[in-house]
Amino acid sequence: MAFEKDFNLDATELRLGLPGTSDEQASTTLRIGNKRALPDMNEDSSVAAAKKCDQETAPPTKAQVVGWPPIRSYRKNNLQTKKTEVETCGMYVKVSMDGAPYLRKIDLKMYKGYPELLKAMEDMFKFKVGKYSEREGYNGSEFVPTYEDKDGDWMLVGDVPWEMFVNSCKKLRIMKGSEARGLGCVV
Amino acid sequence: MMNYFPDEVLEHVFDSIASHKDRNSVSLVCKSWYRIERYSRRRVFIGNCYSISPERLIARFPGLKSLTLKGKPHFADFNLVPYDWGGFVYPWIKALAESGIGLEELRLKRMVVSDESLELLSKSFANFKSLVLVSCEGFSADGLAAVAANCRFLRELDLQENEVDDHRGHWLSCFPESCTSLVSLNFACLKGEVNLGALERLVSRSPNLKSLRLNRLVPLDTLQKLLMRAPQLVDLGIGSYVHDPSSEASNKLKHAIQRCKSIVSLSGFLEVAPRCMSAIYPICGNLTTLNLSYAPGLHGNKLTKLIQHCRKLQRLWILDRIGDKGLGVVASTCKELQELRVFPSDPFGAGNDAVTEEGLVLVSAGCPKLNSLLYFCQQMTNAALITVARNCPNFIRFRLCILDPVKPDPVTNQPLDEGFGAIVQSCKRLKRLSLSGLLTDQVFLYIGMYAEQLEMLSIAFAADSDKGMLYVLNGCKKLRKLEIRDCPFGNSALLEDVGKYETMRSLWMSSCEVTLGGCKTVAEKMPSLNVEIINESDQTEFNLDEGQKVDKMYLYRTLVGHRKDAPESVWIL
């Protein structure tokens, strides 16, 4: 679900292209995209144009338009500082495994992505996860990695972009066996 | 008959006229009223520092005591203006200092303020009382030290969201022991440490202190001591608020806070541990203003619980972490709410925490007095806007920012023309409007038709053709500021009625379709306007191609012609 949102955000005319393009280039791209100026312009065309962009595949990088959203630099800088503070303190979350006598803690900031995190968890608890697919979750193992997010919901690890996961993960739980079945695990 | 009144009587009558607009009108009645008005004028507001010169200001208003100046265009806030564009306050302070004017109050917004200016200011005006700097830059703690040391009767030092260079905190120690006149002290935006002992002593000897806003580096025990010494505070900005609720320090703090029965405005929480908020509950019932927009640490239950205690709230600034549900709590608790600002906590994120149209609809239904809105959201629908327009016809300021700026109504996939149309049609007193989302020329037709009181309009990534801009220029008779970015407006729109720009303060157009030739034409036809082209990239072809599209254009009316302090990247036509 979140990935879809990502596509909407990034796949509009406002995508500045791949990382590494200059801002100037980016604004030009923007303008051309925004013109939607077909000679027989009408509402339907503009909607069609927007839809067309939906279909364009864009890598889900966080492209930024200069000066958008319109937030004062001071405010942006001060909120971002907060984030850095959290980063330097490490982001320890509890990890539990069904059936294990005690919990462990790991620092999410130590890992660059899901493969590393899962490997670390596998090493820690001596188990193996199955193969991940968006459609079916983890296939081929009775262990399924899950996490509790900010809203208190239990989510499957791996669905959302890594950064979003790190920022919303409150604790990890390796579910086992029948409980895991509900999350799309096919044993 | 009025001609036979002695001047003093008229002066006395004029004294009761506070609004700048009204005083300006008074001065136009006849020569003798002009004369009396100008000698008795104490406060002047200059919305664009380049529209007039300090010399002319001083010549006309020799009795000036309070000056407000604004410098850079609004879009400078979003990095669209080069840092050296202009807006220097030094020439103003120098001219005022040399003129013998008894300046007592200076309020600056988006200006460049050097330490040299602050020092000159502090030494030139014996009765100087109040310095307010908003979104300014160019000074360090050294400049503040000069103000503290030399302004013997200082009442107000209010620093809001400035980028201050230096991090040394000795400036606070520069307030002499004899300074006991402070009413307002706000240094929340300073990054450096301050001398805590000096701060405590300063607060202790300031019996009139009503407003105190601390920065992040004032620790908890100091906060507690300050509150004990200043229970008369009306406005408090807490910097750091992290403590263990079961500790002795926390108890002492709770006690100190409870003594402050006059606090109606609370802000800050730049660092916060959410479980400590219960210490604040005792004063929440009195709060009319609450600014939590720099406190990303507050969200979920802790945040809503806090808000549930604030039944008298009139102004709330918050992060979108509050979520639609949290806004529902606001709607059911804060029946007196007039102003709501919801800022994004993660502007470039995928928006897990953000608010949607649902939150806004809830607030509009629960808070009928709502008249001012700034709302950053994931999405908006026409239906929601129509409902909001019906629930809240009293909007004076309506600024909506959908994080994806060309996003249509996600339910119908239509542009948001009808929704904004409903807003302008219903809110007959609307003075300021910011648009976003997918928008065609149609919304501008509505704005031109209905937004009769509109003074400021911000447009981005909207419209299909010049018609959009023309609808606005033709329809909005009271328009003063128009700022446009990334819209397909070109020379036809720009040149249709150049006389209109003389009735406005300024026009900004960036990444539009206007060309160098078009801008030159405006400049030629209207000598009373400064037409500035900002070109931050390669300046090679600057002089040649009239057909070249202009990256950024800023034009404004002025009585004093071209300014002399423009940098290389700015070309005044």
Side-chain angles (χ1 to χ4, degrees):
Chain A
M1 196 54 214
F3 246 110
E4 278 171 33
K5 267 193 181 166
D6 243 357
F7 266 97
N8 269 339
L9 240 169
D10 298 322
T12 62
E13 294 100 333
L14 298 167
R15 277 283 354 267
L16 298 184
L18 302 169
T21 54
S22 70
D23 267 353
E24 218 186 328
Q25 237 177 43
S27 328
T28 322
T29 317
L30 263 167
R31 217 182 313 153
I32 292 170
N34 182 59
K35 267 179 85 166
R36 309 185 297 269
L38 309 165
D40 50 354
M41 195 64 234
N42 59 34
E43 247 182 39
D44 290 331
S45 303
S46 73
V47 171
K51 281 197 166 143
K52 175 177 179 276
C53 287
D54 253 347
Q55 291 152 23
E56 283 169 16
T57 15
T61 50
K62 305 258 191 301
Q64 296 173 19
V65 177
V66 175
W68 193 270
I71 309 169
R72 268 191 197 159
S73 325
Y74 175 88
R75 186 174 283 283
K76 260 197 277 203
N77 295 340
N78 276 274
L79 273 183
Q80 268 162 26
T81 319
K82 270 250 73 173
K83 270 206 165 138
T84 327
E85 278 172 26
V86 172
E87 275 162 25
T88 49
C89 292
M91 214 177 212
Y92 282 91
V93 295
K94 292 182 188 169
V95 190
S96 65
M97 175 148 109
D98 292 352
Y102 51 81
L103 281 64
R104 302 295 302 271
K105 262 207 167 158
I106 57 172
D107 182 0
L108 289 179
K109 293 295 171 189
M110 297 290 288
Y111 308 102
K112 295 203 202 72
Y114 287 119
E116 283 162 305
L117 171 68
L118 290 173
K119 175 98 180 32
M121 286 165 70
E122 285 176 307
D123 288 341
M124 202 179 251
F125 285 97
K126 309 279 182 285
F127 75 103
K128 283 251 176 272
V129 295
K131 186 158 157 42
Y132 173 81
S133 74
E134 207 179 332
R135 215 161 57 86
E136 291 175 349
Y138 290 87
N139 238 332
S141 164
E142 60 169 337
F143 297 100
V144 179
T146 67
Y147 70 99
E148 184 182 339
D149 75 354
K150 279 187 189 136
D151 298 322
D153 297 316
W154 284 96
M155 318 287 293
L156 186 69
V157 170
D159 282 338
V160 303
W162 175 251
E163 281 301 307
M164 198 198 304
F165 162 75
V166 169
N167 285 326
S168 56
C169 171
K170 276 172 50 194
K171 56 164 98 123
L172 286 158
R173 176 181 162 196
I174 303 162
M175 287 190 184
K176 187 175 148 182
S178 52
E179 254 213 85
R181 219 170 289 266
L183 285 165
C185 155
V186 177
V187 175
Chain B
M1 229 20 220
M2 285 299 260
N3 283 333
Y4 298 113
F5 281 162
D7 289 0
E8 299 80 51
V9 173
L10 281 175
E11 243 188 69
H12 195 65
V13 172
F14 294 168
D15 268 352
S16 62
I17 299 170
S19 121
H20 292 290
K21 259 198 208 139
D22 290 341
R23 287 206 68 125
N24 291 346
S25 307
V26 156
S27 67
L28 291 174
V29 167
C30 63
K31 280 206 175 117
S32 66
W33 280 38
Y34 178 87
R35 180 179 40 85
I36 298 166
E37 198 282 323
R38 69 178 260 258
Y39 281 110
S40 64
R41 179 89 79 121
R42 301 284 167 259
R43 323 181 65 87
V44 173
F45 169 89
I46 297 177
N48 173 7
C49 64
Y50 290 117
S51 61
I52 190 74
S53 70
E55 289 74 28
R56 285 182 65 161
L57 170 73
I58 293 163
R60 179 161 171 198
F61 300 115
L64 182 68
K65 294 258 175 287
S66 162
L67 177 61
T68 303
L69 278 173
K70 292 189 180 181
K72 299 186 191 184
H74 177 224
F75 277 4
D77 280 350
F78 320 130
N79 296 335
L80 289 175
V81 173
Y83 78 96
D84 55 354
W85 174 86
F88 306 104
V89 77
Y90 184 79
W92 290 86
I93 296 181
K94 182 158 179 289
L96 287 162
E98 286 164 7
S99 70
I101 284 208
L103 192 70
E104 294 183 7
E105 182 178 293
L106 187 61
R107 314 168 80 86
L108 306 175
K109 186 169 185 180
R110 277 192 289 271
M111 293 199 72
V112 178
V113 181
S114 61
D115 282 341
E116 208 190 342
S117 330
L118 290 178
E119 210 180 308
L120 183 58
L121 174 76
S122 72
K123 292 186 173 152
S124 309
F125 307 106
N127 246 346
F128 192 75
K129 295 196 170 73
S130 167
L131 180 63
V132 180
L133 303 178
V134 180
S135 290
C136 296
E137 63 191 351
F139 63 100
S140 74
D142 289 344
L144 298 177
V147 172
N150 302 325
C151 300
R152 293 188 303 146
F153 304 114
L154 195 68
R155 286 201 203 144
E156 182 174 23
L157 180 60
D158 185 359
L159 308 170
Q160 298 177 29
E161 302 197 343
N162 302 289
E163 300 285 357
V164 186
D165 297 333
D166 196 308
H167 296 215
R168 287 176 305 159
H170 75 285
W171 63 277
L172 247 179
S173 324
C174 295
F175 281 104
E177 290 300 314
S178 55
C179 175
T180 58
S181 46
L182 268 185
V183 174
S184 166
L185 178 63
N186 173 7
F187 62 94
C189 64
L190 295 189
K191 302 283 198 307
E193 285 178 2
V194 292
N195 183 325
L196 299 176
L199 176 59
E200 286 175 42
R201 287 190 298 276
L202 180 61
V203 170
S204 298
R205 65 176 186 273
S206 304
N208 298 320
L209 193 68
K210 291 279 185 294
S211 169
L212 178 64
R213 296 191 184 190
L214 310 169
N215 76 355
R216 201 188 280 253
L217 296 177
V218 174
L220 207 78
D221 58 332
T222 306
L223 171 64
Q224 185 261 338
K225 286 187 204 153
L226 294 173
L227 292 177
M228 289 301 283
R229 284 166 171 70
Q232 76 282 1
L233 280 179
V234 168
D235 168 36
L236 174 64
I238 293 181
S240 168
Y241 192 70
V242 180
H243 51 99
D244 179 356
S246 55
S247 68
E248 178 59 28
S250 183
N251 276 334
K252 280 172 86 175
L253 181 65
K254 230 185 196 160
H255 171 68
I257 291 176
Q258 276 175 288
R259 285 178 77 236
C260 298
K261 300 193 190 302
S262 305
I263 293 182
V264 295
S265 165
L266 194 58
S267 63
F269 299 97
L270 311 173
E271 262 173 18
V272 61
R275 44 206 180 108
C276 310
M277 295 312 283
S278 52
I280 306 280
Y281 292 167
I283 56 166
C284 285
N286 296 330
L287 291 181
T288 56
T289 299
L290 181 59
N291 181 355
L292 299 174
S293 63
Y294 285 102
L298 272 182
H299 54 93
N301 286 341
K302 294 287 186 287
L303 178 55
T304 45
K305 240 187 142 188
L306 177 71
I307 294 195
Q308 276 168 330
H309 283 82
C310 304
R311 310 205 78 88
K312 283 197 194 161
L313 221 51
Q314 294 173 17
R315 187 186 299 157
L316 176 64
W317 292 23
I318 196 96
L319 289 171
D320 60 3
R321 288 246 170 110
I322 191 174
D324 289 330
K325 272 205 218 121
L327 287 177
V329 174
V330 173
S332 47
T333 310
C334 309
K335 296 304 181 186
E336 300 299 310
L337 197 68
Q338 295 177 26
E339 176 178 323
L340 175 67
R341 295 197 188 190
V342 181
F343 295 96
S345 54
D346 187 12
F348 306 113
N352 255 351
D353 297 320
V355 293
T356 70
E357 76 278 8
E358 287 178 22
L360 184 58
V361 169
L362 287 171
V363 174
S364 75
C367 308
K369 295 187 184 179
L370 198 63
N371 62 38
S372 175
L373 181 76
L374 173 60
Y375 197 75
F376 286 83
C377 57
Q378 277 299 305
Q379 60 183 48
M380 185 52 59
T381 64
N382 282 310
L385 284 174
I386 291 168
T387 305
V388 169
R390 196 176 49 236
N391 290 341
C392 294
N394 296 319
F395 275 116
I396 300 173
R397 282 178 290 279
F398 191 88
R399 298 157 67 187
L400 189 73
C401 178
I402 303 170
L403 290 171
D404 174 357
V406 289
K407 191 167 179 151
D409 179 330
V411 172
T412 64
N413 252 328
Q414 294 299 301
L416 292 175
D417 301 333
E418 298 306 309
F420 280 107
I423 294 285
V424 293
Q425 197 176 356
S426 165
C427 303
K428 308 216 184 302
R429 276 179 277 180
L430 194 68
K431 283 193 183 168
R432 183 169 179 182
L433 178 65
S434 299
L435 308 168
S436 61
L438 186 66
L439 295 163
T440 72
D441 287 342
Q442 184 70 9
V443 71
F444 299 104
L445 176 66
Y446 292 142
I447 292 174
M449 267 170 67
Y450 295 115
E452 292 176 8
Q453 302 300 318
L454 196 66
E455 295 181 8
M456 181 169 177
L457 180 62
S458 307
I459 312 172
F461 304 103
D464 312 309
S465 74
D466 283 335
K467 280 200 257 169
M469 186 165 164
L470 289 171
Y471 290 143
V472 171
L473 291 176
N474 290 332
C476 300
K477 302 294 180 210
K478 296 202 176 172
L479 196 64
R480 292 191 300 115
K481 287 181 280 185
L482 180 58
E483 44 187 31
I484 305 170
R485 63 165 293 179
D486 294 273
C487 294
F489 302 143
N491 291 342
S492 307
L494 180 68
L495 297 173
E496 166 96 352
D497 177 13
V498 291
K500 169 88 176 171
Y501 306 131
E502 218 175 28
T503 70
M504 293 165 54
R505 185 189 296 175
S506 64
L507 168 67
W508 168 285
M509 293 180 76
S510 60
S511 303
C512 296
E513 304 289 314
V514 295
T515 69
L516 187 57
C519 296
K520 276 187 177 173
T521 308
V522 177
E524 275 160 35
K525 288 190 173 173
M526 301 292 297
S528 58
L529 302 176
N530 276 354
V531 181
E532 299 191 1
I533 309 293
I534 300 171
N535 186 7
E536 288 176 271
S537 59
D538 235 316
Q539 282 142 64
T540 45
E541 258 93 306
F542 225 18
N543 293 324
L544 299 174
D545 189 4
E546 305 261 305
Q548 185 185 317
K549 289 211 189 108
V550 157
D551 193 28
K552 295 168 187 168
M553 179 204 73
Y554 179 55
L555 64 81
Y556 52 88
R557 67 181 174 193
T558 177
L559 292 174
V560 291
H562 289 189
R563 62 186 175 110
K564 309 282 186 296
D565 61 1
E568 266 193 34
S569 54
V570 174
W571 187 25
I572 308 180
L573 297 178

